Amino acid sequence: MTQLNLGGIGMTSQRTRDRLISRLREQGVTDQAVLDVMARTPRHIFLDEALAHRAYEDSALPIGYQQTLSQPYIVARMTELLLSTGPRKRVLEVGTGSGYQTAVLAQLVDRVYSVERILPLQSKARERMRMLGLSNVHLKHADGGMGWEERGPYDGILVTAAPETIPQALIDQLADGGMLVIPVGNSRHQQLRLLKKQGESLEELSIEAVMFVPLVSGRVG
Ligand code: SAH
């Protein structure tokens, strides 16, 4: 398992983070490995300084460019769904954003490939990966609706922005037995979906109502 390098990162009190973990448990998150990783990942370094004091609240927070760092409950839930049928080696994330979800994944799987369409967000995320010593993360500035074909197939794909319908490219880039966790819908109604590819067939489950920023095509910056 990839370990974080926390040297030089001022951690807020362990108590604050432990409270967040208890809340996640109360909300039904049960995967202990996911909870352990979130208990030691410093969420405050993924925010601008003015917002860092709110890092351990269970809420989504702005990261600029009209984007948000996902709510911890959602990060935990999506991660445990992705891992629910066994460990994943190669995972594609669409929507790097702050890189917080990326950093959580990187401590639980062998390799994370993450795609972001807004270049300045990607640059900041890259710096944070470097700071944490997460060398198993590969970032790309691209439209993630097309996936990242050269590095596939993936045994897990996690999407952190909502398309109205699931992009076929993502399904195509799933390995046999691969899991896709993705919010689907518009600005009023979205459902978190879990898909499992088995040979030629796809098993699909609706998990719960969620609210993500939209998946937008094209690149910026
Ligand atoms: N996991 C991130 C979530 C950020 S919000 C975090 O917790 O910080 C969703 C991100 O998806 C935004 O950064 C947005 O720019 C990005 N995004 C939206 N559409 C995209 C696309 N087609 N390809 C790649 N990234 C996309």
Side-chain angles (χ1 to χ4, degrees):
M1 172 181 279
T2 308
Q3 294 284 345
L4 288 186
N5 170 13
L6 294 174
I9 296 169
M11 287 294 269
T12 49
S13 80
Q14 186 65 43
R15 273 226 315 276
T16 318
R17 273 172 300 125
D18 287 348
R19 267 201 301 275
L20 172 62
I21 300 308
S22 317
R23 271 203 305 278
L24 297 179
R25 241 193 226 105
E26 280 160 25
Q27 291 175 90
V29 177
T30 57
D31 187 321
Q32 193 56 46
V34 172
L35 292 168
D36 287 347
V37 161
M38 289 184 65
R40 62 171 183 257
T41 304
R43 191 169 181 255
H44 62 279
I45 69 159
F46 295 87
L47 290 161
D48 289 337
E49 227 163 290
L51 280 170
H53 68 286
R54 298 185 55 194
Y56 301 98
E57 290 174 13
D58 189 21
S59 55
L61 293 166
I63 55 172
Y65 308 90
Q66 295 171 318
Q67 306 303 320
T68 53
L69 199 172
S70 305
Q71 179 193 0
Y73 167 73
I74 288 295
V75 172
R77 190 77 184 105
M78 290 177 87
T79 309
E80 83 173 355
L81 286 167
L82 190 80
L83 304 176
S84 59
T85 55
R88 306 282 116 189
K89 288 201 161 75
R90 302 168 64 80
V91 170
L92 172 68
E93 176 190 37
V94 176
T96 315
S98 67
Y100 176 72
Q101 170 80 71
T102 323
V104 168
L105 283 171
Q107 297 169 75
L108 291 159
V109 307
D110 288 357
R111 246 163 233 290
V112 181
Y113 299 89
S114 185
V115 181
E116 170 58 55
R117 66 183 288 275
I118 301 177
L119 186 59
L121 287 178
Q122 191 211 36
S123 308
K124 284 195 201 175
R126 191 183 295 287
E127 173 57 21
R128 291 168 182 140
M129 298 304 124
R130 199 194 55 73
M131 202 163 132
L132 292 170
L134 291 170
S135 53
N136 61 338
V137 172
H138 304 272
L139 302 179
K140 185 182 179 190
H141 178 221
D143 178 352
M146 337 257 257
W148 185 349
E149 198 179 0
E150 300 79 3
R151 301 301 186 102
Y154 304 96
D155 51 7
I157 301 181
L158 191 152
V159 184
T160 69
E164 295 207 0
T165 56
I166 300 178
Q168 185 59 39
L170 299 182
I171 293 171
D172 293 344
Q173 289 169 34
L174 271 183
D176 195 12
M179 305 278 273
L180 170 62
V181 182
I182 184 168
V184 183
N186 54 35
S187 58
R188 278 161 293 117
H189 303 286
Q190 293 172 15
Q191 276 286 321
L192 187 61
R193 304 255 183 92
L194 176 65
L195 284 86
K196 184 170 186 188
K197 193 177 198 175
Q198 290 287 21
E200 292 300 290
S201 73
L202 276 177
E203 256 173 51
E204 184 168 344
L205 279 179
S206 260
I207 305 293
E208 60 187 71
V210 286
M211 197 37 76
F212 279 83
V213 295
L215 188 82
V216 179
S217 56
R219 299 193 303 175
V220 184

